[in-house]
Amino acid sequence: MTPDASDDTTPGADGPSQSGAPPAAAPLAVGESSSVANPGDVAELLAKIHIFAGLQPAYLRRIAAVGIRERHAAGATVFSEGTAGDRMYLILAGAVRISRQVPGMGEEALAVLRAGNYFGEMSLVDDSPRSADAKAHEATELLVLKKDDLEDLLFVDRDLAYDLLWNFVRTLTSRLRDTNDKMTFLAVTNRF
């Protein structure tokens, strides 16, 4: 895992580091969560994630400010298929495996997502249960955006809501096209 860009202090130091910054907070342990220490740094990461592409820096900082960081050890379950969803996840470091349990076959991996990807966003749009399992494929750091927090932010800032919802529409449309292409391929290859 790469160090957080905002961490320019010496861990465990009693005073300012050589850079003159105040001492760093204790590192986030696996399984713990914390609020985002520096929304500006996280906003830079958000700008690189497709669903937030093109949003103004001020919008990205507002979104980052409502996020919570979580760390998960390799193999840890982030969420399970069938459970209620109320948040989406952005991968800051590591990898997450999205999978489903297939009766008689076991786990079927649908995707392994790496830093810069996101998952669980469908829970922000509907109230249906999770459609798959999400597990840390390796040690992973996530930025979690809770549905209620994001809804509050979007209610207050209608321009942000408009831009973000159009990004959602573009993302979902792209995924639907990909699924249609895969289904067409499967239909054609099964004929012969």
Side-chain angles (χ1 to χ4, degrees):
M1 186 173 77
T2 58
D4 181 12
S6 67
D7 185 12
D8 61 350
T9 61
T10 305
D14 293 327
S17 68
Q18 293 177 358
S19 69
L28 187 62
V30 171
E32 289 186 334
S33 61
S34 72
S35 61
V36 173
N38 189 343
D41 291 342
V42 175
E44 289 178 26
L45 294 171
L46 291 178
K48 297 174 185 172
I49 296 174
H50 181 71
I51 202 163
F52 299 111
L55 292 182
Q56 298 175 22
Y59 292 168
L60 296 172
R61 284 190 298 276
R62 288 184 202 137
I63 293 168
V66 300
I68 299 168
R69 285 185 188 234
E70 286 184 359
R71 287 201 180 147
H72 296 273
T77 299
V78 178
F79 60 74
S80 299
E81 180 180 357
T83 58
D86 67 345
R87 58 196 70 194
M88 76 174 287
Y89 301 84
L90 307 145
I91 305 171
L92 300 177
V96 173
R97 185 175 63 254
I98 308 298
S99 61
R100 295 188 81 170
Q101 292 298 320
V102 178
M105 292 180 61
E107 180 185 28
E108 177 66 26
L110 304 174
V112 175
L113 305 174
R114 302 212 172 266
N117 284 298
Y118 56 93
F119 59 98
E121 74 283 357
M122 291 185 339
S123 70
L124 300 181
V125 179
D126 67 16
D127 293 323
S128 298
R130 298 285 188 188
S131 61
D133 295 331
K135 295 181 180 174
H137 191 64
E138 57 191 51
T140 301
E141 184 174 359
L142 304 171
L143 179 69
V144 182
L145 297 174
K146 293 182 180 178
K147 182 177 185 175
D148 291 342
D149 294 339
L150 203 53
E151 282 178 350
D152 290 345
L153 179 62
L154 298 180
F155 181 76
V156 170
D157 191 334
R158 298 297 179 167
D159 292 334
L160 169 57
Y162 179 83
D163 289 351
L164 185 58
L165 291 175
W166 266 113
N167 279 6
F168 264 98
V169 169
R170 288 183 194 104
T171 297
L172 294 175
T173 300
S174 174
R175 289 182 178 181
L176 181 58
R177 287 183 198 279
D178 290 345
T179 300
N180 285 342
D181 290 344
K182 289 176 186 174
M183 294 302 291
T184 301
F185 174 77
L186 290 174
V188 169
T189 57
N190 283 335
R191 279 192 192 164
F192 300 104

